[in-house]
Amino acid sequence: MMQETSFIVIRGNSMRLDGGTMFGNAPKALWQKWVRADERGMIDIASNCLLVKTGNYNLLFETGCGAYLSPDMKARFAVQEERHILLKALSEQGLSDSDISHVVLSHLHFDHAGGLLSAWEPDREPALLFPNALFVVGEEHFRRSKSPHPRDRASFIPGLAEKLQATGRLVLKQGGDRLTVGSLTIEFFQSQGHTPGMLISLIQAQGGTVIYTGDLIPGLPWVNLPITMGYDRFAEKLVDEKKQML
């Protein structure tokens, strides 16, 4: 008997980032048709995480930026909420972080993995949440997170890789690998354009396949094939990967 599977989009903490950087070499005259910028050129960035319920398993794809940053760093990255919004969103689904069986991370940049950590408190280091989950990360990208390039070092959370490794629940995957969870099969596509070894998840369930694209396509405007971010490592490579995925 096939297990019923539910796909639920839930929100993590939101941010505001520079629109010019988010749209790479696309001129503002073009991208402002899609997204409204404020007087400083900043645009709203949501953290859309995916919760998949299947049988006794609860899988979470991405965690958003979370609330682990200190107040001055939250101001720098224009994190909009003080509370850990992802935990609130999980509670609205009748779940806590301890109910999550798998956390699948496309990559470990802070705006995707920060929600793994507890909210900031004075004089206390944020703790790793999700005490019963397997943490699924790309093997190549995990190596990158431990030894980043100067260009993207600021995108990684210091010490997070070591925290994940110390749990004994870290699962490293490569492109072409599969993960079976109950009646679900997740096939991983490895992308290099945004950051080395980023994992795109092709979630195969009864009735079809859902693709969680991570920063290969970070939002609706980026479905347009030539539109890339200034944060992308290799823009032309990313366009080729996007074309292949689409």
Side-chain angles (χ1 to χ4, degrees):
M1 183 176 178
M2 292 292 291
Q3 295 174 330
E4 183 179 348
T5 300
S6 300
F7 292 84
I8 304 163
V9 176
I10 62 174
R11 285 285 175 95
N13 289 72
S14 56
M15 307 169 61
R16 293 179 68 78
L17 292 175
D18 181 80
T21 307
M22 285 298 296
F23 285 98
N25 65 345
K28 186 176 181 181
L30 175 62
W31 62 255
Q32 69 180 355
K33 297 176 182 178
W34 301 323
V35 180
R36 179 178 296 178
D38 66 15
E39 67 281 358
R40 297 183 300 154
M42 305 285 278
I43 64 173
D44 291 322
I45 301 293
S47 294
N48 287 313
C49 309
L50 179 63
L51 175 66
V52 181
K53 297 180 176 182
T54 181
N56 295 321
Y57 300 100
N58 299 302
L59 297 85
L60 181 65
F61 292 77
E62 310 287 63
T63 66
C65 65
Y68 78 96
L69 290 167
S70 63
D72 60 325
M73 293 299 288
K74 281 180 182 175
R76 179 181 299 183
F77 291 107
V79 177
Q80 298 297 290
E81 306 93 357
E82 293 297 323
R83 296 176 59 191
H84 199 315
I85 297 300
L86 178 63
L87 299 184
K88 179 177 181 290
L90 286 173
S91 70
E92 291 170 353
Q93 298 297 326
L95 300 172
S96 72
D97 64 297
S98 62
D99 295 312
I100 300 300
S101 61
H102 299 72
V103 179
V104 182
L105 298 152
S106 65
H107 59 300
L108 293 174
H109 288 171
F110 80 95
D111 54 326
H112 295 254
L116 292 173
L117 300 172
S118 61
W120 180 85
E121 295 182 53
D123 304 317
R124 179 179 294 184
E125 183 179 350
L128 188 65
L129 302 172
F130 304 96
N132 300 311
L134 297 176
F135 299 105
V136 183
V137 185
E139 183 174 4
E140 179 182 354
H141 183 73
F142 189 74
R143 292 197 300 268
R144 172 76 166 210
S145 74
K146 295 183 75 172
S147 183
H149 189 275
R151 186 176 183 271
D152 66 354
R153 181 175 291 122
S155 295
F156 292 100
I157 302 170
L160 178 60
E162 290 73 19
K163 280 184 168 70
L164 293 174
Q165 209 160 23
T167 65
R169 294 179 275 117
L170 178 64
V171 178
L172 298 177
K173 293 291 184 179
Q174 301 178 20
D177 286 351
R178 291 172 178 256
L179 177 68
T180 300
V181 181
S183 61
L184 287 181
T185 298
I186 305 168
E187 183 177 356
F188 297 104
F189 172 87
Q190 188 164 280
S191 168
Q192 305 289 347
H194 176 65
T195 187
M198 184 172 73
L199 290 184
I200 309 302
S201 297
L202 287 74
I203 311 162
Q204 299 165 7
Q206 184 181 19
T209 299
V210 172
I211 303 175
Y212 195 91
T213 61
D215 274 347
L216 184 66
I217 305 173
L220 186 59
W222 293 267
V223 171
N224 293 283
L225 200 59
I227 301 301
T228 61
M229 296 187 290
Y231 298 110
D232 294 331
R233 179 181 181 230
F234 294 125
E236 291 184 4
K237 176 68 172 173
L238 186 135
V239 170
D240 293 341
E241 292 171 341
K242 192 194 307 189
K243 183 177 181 181
Q244 179 183 353
M245 181 59 62
L246 292 174

